[in-house]
Amino acid sequence: MGKNKVGDEVQNKQIIFRDYVIGYPRETDLYISTTSTIKLQVPQGSKTVLVKNMFLSCDPTMQFLMRKDESPLSRSYKYIPGSPINGFGVAKILDSGHPSFIAGDLVWGTTGWEEYSLILNPDKLYKIHHTDVSLSYYTGILGMPGITAYAGIFEVGSVKKGDCVFISAASGAVGQLAGQFAKLLGCYVVGSAGSQEKVDLLKNKLGFDDAFNYKEELDLDAALKRYFPEGIDFYFEQVGGKMLDAVLLNMKVHGRIAICGMISQYNIPHPEALENLLHIAFKRLTIKGFTYRDHHHLYPNLLETVLPYIRENKVVYVEDIVEGLEKGPEALVGLFSGRNFGKQIVKVASV
Amino acid sequence: MGKNKVGDEVQNKQIIFRDYVIGYPRETDLYISTTSTIKLQVPQGSKTVLVKNMFLSCDPTMQFLMRKDESPLSRSYKYIPGSPINGFGVAKILDSGHPSFIAGDLVWGTTGWEEYSLILNPDKLYKIHHTDVSLSYYTGILGMPGITAYAGIFEVGSVKKGDCVFISAASGAVGQLAGQFAKLLGCYVVGSAGSQEKVDLLKNKLGFDDAFNYKEELDLDAALKRYFPEGIDFYFEQVGGKMLDAVLLNMKVHGRIAICGMISQYNIPHPEALENLLHIAFKRLTIKGFTYRDHHHLYPNLLETVLPYIRENKVVYVEDIVEGLEKGPEALVGLFSGRNFGKQIVKVASV
């Protein structure tokens, strides 16, 4: 692609959304199109930017944009059948009509699942200033999952030294970072994940005090009592269902729960009944739902905190990168069943 | 009883707890005993007080203290089979070994369901200083439910002018007051209750903007959309189950929920499945469980706020008073199914 110049008309491989689905999206609900072309130039007078996509992020909530049934996410964000899907990504600007960007800038933000994208609203893009770290990190530790983990631990959860912290989906894009942040603060941190390999990762590489495979625990309540004999101060919730129900039994009085997702409940026809919601009142718990959306202002704090740790290898970030846009559908769908090992990313191109 | 003097040995009618039950307590799980006597004098050298009980409060959570199965309330608080039950009440001190109290003082706090009680830990009693209002109010608007309503609206919920506020169990001991507090702050306030008579009370006497009978709504989501076309800012939660599920669909982004009870879920073998917990994250809701326990410090504020309103008739408090200790079991058990109309109280004796 290096030979292409601004103004050239080139082939633009795309991942196209077939149609809305009921329940789990499958690989076949997406297909690769090689018939589109794109002119590597922004329309004259527009404030758009034309980018070459490098890394695409696979995020759990993308499934809502593919679903037929009503979902908590507004219809207006849903994918359009016959068009490429979109999501967070890292890209290089090839041409710009926007005063904030020039050709050659590296950015992260919402982009299309295709080789090149014309981005209509570049105001929402973040310019990448630090390139001594892996550019893929801007889909994860230095991108949206980073903001989510930072906000959950430092702001929403007000986590402090000595807290007993439990993190579900702990080896995922957000969880692995939330756990490391809590460790840096001086907490006791235990994570749950869905395989022995992930548990080993948490204990041996990511510095969690302990970890367990929730699929091998017949009794989640008993498992939590094993790791938190005195109860949980703060729970970083990403899975919902039976895990949340067991956690409610094990929270300390005045405990806090930050909820940024409930992936176990996204694709079942009827959510699991929670038996223990009464504990919210009896234990006077505080539960806060949050997403990165309300915490963009923390991005400078995230960079300031985490960049030195990355450079000193004091924070580790595990990525599961597949090579090539055509591997995108498999990687995305695999994420919904936890097939990924760390942050799931699709590499589309090098700089 | 007026003839009895300190030191007399008198008959002490009691409501005795038979044994732990599964599910709903019934009237027959309690019985009246007329065989006990009590000496109207504190044991020499003790710091106890001996009181004559006047009003006894019926509270929803008392059922947990009667239940065999494990409950969110610790076993140590449970009633003892063969002994009288206890709860909040208003009483007059007949004899005192405690430096803070003298004979003739009126107090409210935890006491026994009997004519006379020896209170071992008088430090937890509140002395009643304002007697120009009904003494029964110290089981309600000027007692624990008052603290709960005040804390929920002014502290936990941070309710402010213009908020759209929904209150379930709105004609009950706490709800009727929470709604009036929210109205005083300049909110739009809608309540739900379980009969047309209660709905009329809310609209015509308690100043709610609107109210509905949840038992007559086939679709609670539709009902809430009718009253809150733009969504709910603050929900004062006391019932749980299907109502909470419907409310989650109708909360505004960044809405707040204060939970001080979930009475609909207390006596069913398996709690109802909530389908909409995902909205906690997507709408970035804040949910806080609370009980009066953490808010005793607000009691002076409650008195300062509410006493002038009571005297000017700007706040109304509806009570359902049965006369005579022997009516206690029926009144208490009726509360669990919503048979009461306003705050349920048992009058044991006059001053």
Side-chain angles (χ1 to χ4, degrees), chain B residues 19-31:
Chain B
D19 203 355
Y20 298 111
V21 301
I22 292 169
Y24 264 110
R26 293 160 309 169
E27 228 181 293
T28 50
D29 296 316
L30 299 165
Y31 65 92

Side-chain angles (χ1 to χ4, degrees), chain A residues 206-227:
Chain A
L206 300 177
F208 282 57
D209 292 291
D210 225 320
F212 64 91
N213 178 354
Y214 70 89
K215 290 178 181 167
E216 305 225 316
E217 298 291 344
L218 292 175
D219 182 342
L220 290 173
D221 175 35
L224 290 169
K225 285 191 165 49
R226 209 162 63 226
Y227 295 104

Side-chain angles (χ1 to χ4, degrees), chain A residues 61 64 71-73 244 253-254 259-263 265-266 269-291 293-294, chain B residues 61 64 71-73 244 253-254 259-263 265-266 269-291 293-294:
Chain A
T61 51
F64 289 114
S71 87
L73 288 181
L244 176 56
V253 166
H254 296 138
I259 303 182
C260 70
M262 291 190 175
I263 197 166
Q265 305 298 294
Y266 290 170
H270 294 287
E272 294 169 291
L274 268 63
E275 308 242 326
N276 303 320
L277 289 173
L278 296 179
H279 287 258
I280 299 172
F282 291 121
K283 290 183 179 157
R284 295 94 93 189
L285 306 179
T286 295
I287 300 178
K288 287 187 186 173
F290 77 107
T291 71
R293 271 174 247 277
D294 297 323
Chain B
T61 49
F64 289 113
S71 88
L73 289 180
L244 176 56
V253 167
H254 295 138
I259 302 183
C260 69
M262 292 192 175
I263 196 167
Q265 305 298 295
Y266 289 170
H270 294 287
E272 294 169 290
L274 268 64
E275 307 243 325
N276 303 319
L277 289 173
L278 295 180
H279 287 258
I280 298 172
F282 291 121
K283 289 184 178 159
R284 295 93 92 191
L285 305 179
T286 295
I287 301 180
K288 288 187 185 172
F290 76 106
T291 72
R293 270 173 248 275
D294 297 322

Side-chain angles (χ1 to χ4, degrees), chain A residues 327-338:
Chain A
K327 294 277 183 60
E330 187 189 345
L332 178 60
V333 168
L335 180 76
F336 305 151
S337 59

Side-chain angles (χ1 to χ4, degrees), chain A residues 32-290:
Chain A
I32 298 152
S33 159
T34 55
T35 58
S36 282
T37 60
I38 188 169
K39 196 178 177 187
L40 298 183
Q41 190 163 33
V42 298
Q44 219 170 359
S46 81
K47 291 200 162 174
T48 60
V49 296
L50 193 293
V51 303
K52 176 183 172 188
N53 291 311
M54 299 168 61
F55 294 99
L56 299 174
S57 171
C58 297
D59 288 301
T61 51
M62 292 168 75
Q63 63 192 283
F64 289 114
L65 313 184
M66 302 174 70
R67 285 170 65 164
K68 189 174 222 151
D69 45 330
E70 225 180 283
S71 87
L73 288 181
S74 146
R75 187 114 201 136
S76 63
Y77 293 102
K78 289 210 173 187
Y79 295 145
I80 298 158
S83 292
I85 64 170
N86 57 56
F88 286 104
V90 174
K92 183 181 180 179
I93 292 184
L94 299 185
D95 190 25
S96 170
H98 193 284
S100 304
F101 300 98
I102 58 166
D105 279 351
L106 294 164
V107 295
W108 73 268
T110 300
T111 189
W113 277 47
E114 54 194 349
E115 289 176 288
Y116 302 95
S117 295
L118 181 70
I119 295 178
L120 302 179
N121 188 3
D123 285 321
K124 293 192 168 174
L125 295 174
Y126 283 91
K127 211 183 285 193
I128 293 173
H129 298 288
H130 307 276
T131 56
D132 59 322
V133 295
S134 169
L135 284 180
S136 60
Y137 277 9
Y138 290 92
T139 66
I141 186 170
L142 299 174
M144 183 272 282
I147 298 175
T148 306
Y150 189 94
I153 294 294
F154 291 99
E155 195 143 296
V156 179
S158 304
V159 176
K160 58 192 188 304
K161 187 174 174 164
D163 276 350
C164 294
V165 173
F166 177 54
I167 297 176
S168 57
S171 74
V174 174
Q176 55 174 305
L177 200 45
Q180 290 180 85
F181 283 150
K183 280 308 300 173
L184 289 170
L185 281 169
C187 302
Y188 167 76
V189 182
V190 177
S192 66
S195 74
Q196 188 55 46
E197 200 187 0
K198 291 177 182 178
V199 166
D200 292 341
L201 172 76
L202 293 171
K203 294 205 284 193
N204 304 330
K205 196 165 171 194
L206 300 177
F208 282 57
D209 292 291
D210 225 320
F212 64 91
N213 178 354
Y214 70 89
K215 290 178 181 167
E216 305 225 316
E217 298 291 344
L218 292 175
D219 182 342
L220 290 173
D221 175 35
L224 290 169
K225 285 191 165 49
R226 209 162 63 226
Y227 295 104
F228 297 97
E230 286 168 27
I232 299 167
D233 290 294
F234 176 69
Y235 173 44
F236 197 106
E237 159 69 311
Q238 302 192 84
V239 303
K242 288 191 199 318
M243 183 65 90
L244 176 56
D245 217 24
V247 166
L248 288 170
L249 285 177
N250 289 283
M251 292 300 294
K252 288 188 190 173
V253 166
H254 296 138
R256 297 103 59 208
I257 299 177
I259 303 182
C260 70
M262 291 190 175
I263 197 166
S264 78
Q265 305 298 294
Y266 290 170
N267 265 310
I268 51 178
H270 294 287
E272 294 169 291
L274 268 63
E275 308 242 326
N276 303 320
L277 289 173
L278 296 179
H279 287 258
I280 299 172
F282 291 121
K283 290 183 179 157
R284 295 94 93 189
L285 306 179
T286 295
I287 300 178
K288 287 187 186 173
F290 77 107

Side-chain angles (χ1 to χ4, degrees), chain B residues 84 88 162 208 222 236 266 322 329 336 346:
Chain B
F88 286 105
F208 282 55
F236 197 105
Y266 289 170
V322 298
F336 305 151
V346 179

